Amino acid sequence: MFFTSESFINSPYNKLSDLFSNTIIRGDIVSSDGHILATTDVDEDGNETRNYPYGDMFAHVVGYSSNGKSGLENQMNFSLLRSNTFFVDYLINDLSGQKNEGDTVITTLDYSIQEAAYQALGDADGAVVVMEPSTGKILAMVSKPDFDPNTVEENWETINSEGSTVLYNRVTQGQYAPGSVFKIFTTLEFYRENPTAFSSYEFNCSGSFSSDGKTIHCASNELHGTEDIISSFANSCNSSYANISLQLNMDDFNDTLKGLLFDTDLPISLESKRSSTNISSDSSTSLIMETAIGQGSTYVSPFHMVLIASAICHDGILMKPYLVQQITNKAGANVQTFSSSEYKTLFSKDEADMLESCMKAVISSGTATLLSDQSYDAYGKTGTAQVSDTDDTENSWFVGYAKQDGYEDIAIAVIVEDKNNAGFSGTNVAKKVFDAYFN
């Protein structure tokens, strides 16, 4: 009971929290740079109202605390309803029948980065997540469509109606076809299986590649001509990657994907879904080629992809991601501090360096030249994923990171749903976030 009590208390279905709220005023949730993201207002009659000063902007990550709980309101419920007020003050309040102030949860979220990501996504549906590779701090988490946590109770029937995805945190719960950002994994497997022949790979792209009755086309049937592995990656050449896929051992590839967090719970306490794929030595030629370019039956979340980008940036080491860095009492005295720790080594240093070279070429000469010639050095992979076989709707991805002297590196994953209707790509969103952070 001692070791599991906090998880039970944090459950939104546990009515025990109502007992805590009888004697404790729910504490604040604060950004790393001091912005109050959630607080409890108390009027002169003692009526309490949970207030979210920035409304929709932090809706999914901070969450709500009425009609159940979500986000950090749920994850940190026990801390918010625990008071480490100075003992004498606590005793005086108890004796006088006054409530004590709950503890303050200080997050890793950076207000300016969150705002930049939120504004960059505009009216489009999608998600943005930003992480510090060297520490695992999550700096921003935006999901759209969004909602106002101040009005959850009165709008509950609408936002929670059948078919509505407003409450759905697309960063951690999204299940998207990865499109060409999956070529990060295909490239790694090709490198692992062909370490000596990797640099001598050559392919002549004629705009399409056919095998066993299946044809894979490059975007707009573009002819890329003669390419090596880096230019294939930079140009996001579907034909080249379809060719590469047929040279891979699918069972080994499946093992690689499992080692890179597919089909496993991701390291975050917020509600999340597993990324999945379905390939083996028994897979058809068609499925193998489709999987290699990020289609087929493969699905990933933006959160998974930012973990991959962070590990590449950090010499292959994934730091454990976290959203809370400190808990203090209402007066600011420290109660608990959370620090960074290694989670898992995803790549060797050589593998990380190889992938960084490929991702640099995407910026310098490939599909994301929008990010070239900036004050910072960007690395990334773009992707365009077809949503279904019945229409032309496509989602746009950007997965990568950026560096500049005097700043901590930051990694990002962006997905813009229905990019043609949105009028911009994941790369546009990433650039606005990088610009805001480095400039």
Side-chain angles (χ1 to χ4, degrees), residues 215-378:
T215 299
I216 296 292
H217 296 274
C218 287
S220 303
N221 292 311
E222 184 175 356
L223 281 67
H224 294 115
T226 302
E227 300 175 301
D228 59 16
I229 188 65
I230 291 182
S231 58
S232 295
F233 189 93
N235 296 326
S236 205
C237 179
N238 288 339
S239 299
S240 181
Y241 273 85
N243 172 59
I244 288 171
S245 72
L246 300 182
Q247 303 175 41
L248 303 179
N249 181 304
M250 287 299 108
D251 289 334
D252 289 345
F253 195 8
N254 195 41
D255 289 342
T256 290
L257 294 175
K258 289 184 182 300
L260 296 175
L261 309 179
F262 277 83
D263 298 307
T264 189
D265 292 336
L266 298 177
I268 192 167
S269 54
L270 299 182
E271 186 175 350
S272 64
K273 290 189 176 180
R274 294 181 172 193
S275 296
S276 62
T277 189
N278 182 28
I279 54 168
S280 69
S281 56
D282 297 326
S283 297
S284 66
T285 297
S286 176
L287 180 59
I288 290 170
M289 292 195 296
E290 288 174 353
T291 299
I293 64 170
Q295 294 288 165
S297 56
T298 301
Y299 299 95
V300 300
S301 66
F303 182 64
H304 184 184
M305 295 311 301
V306 82
L307 300 183
I308 297 300
S310 292
I312 296 170
C313 180
H314 194 47
D315 294 336
I317 299 170
L318 174 62
M319 303 301 288
K320 185 176 181 179
Y322 64 109
L323 273 164
V324 175
Q325 61 184 10
Q326 189 180 14
I327 299 171
T328 68
N329 68 11
K330 189 66 176 180
N334 183 61
V335 173
Q336 187 175 4
T337 301
F338 301 90
S339 57
S340 61
S341 61
E342 290 188 15
Y343 178 71
K344 184 179 181 182
T345 298
L346 299 186
F347 313 100
S348 69
K349 176 67 163 59
D350 287 345
E351 291 168 346
D353 288 345
M354 177 275 296
L355 290 170
E356 179 164 285
S357 296
C358 292
M359 294 168 81
K360 184 60 179 175
V362 171
I363 309 301
S364 62
S365 60
T367 57
T369 54
L370 178 67
L371 288 167
S372 64
D373 299 322
Q374 304 298 316
S375 63
Y376 48 85
D377 294 320

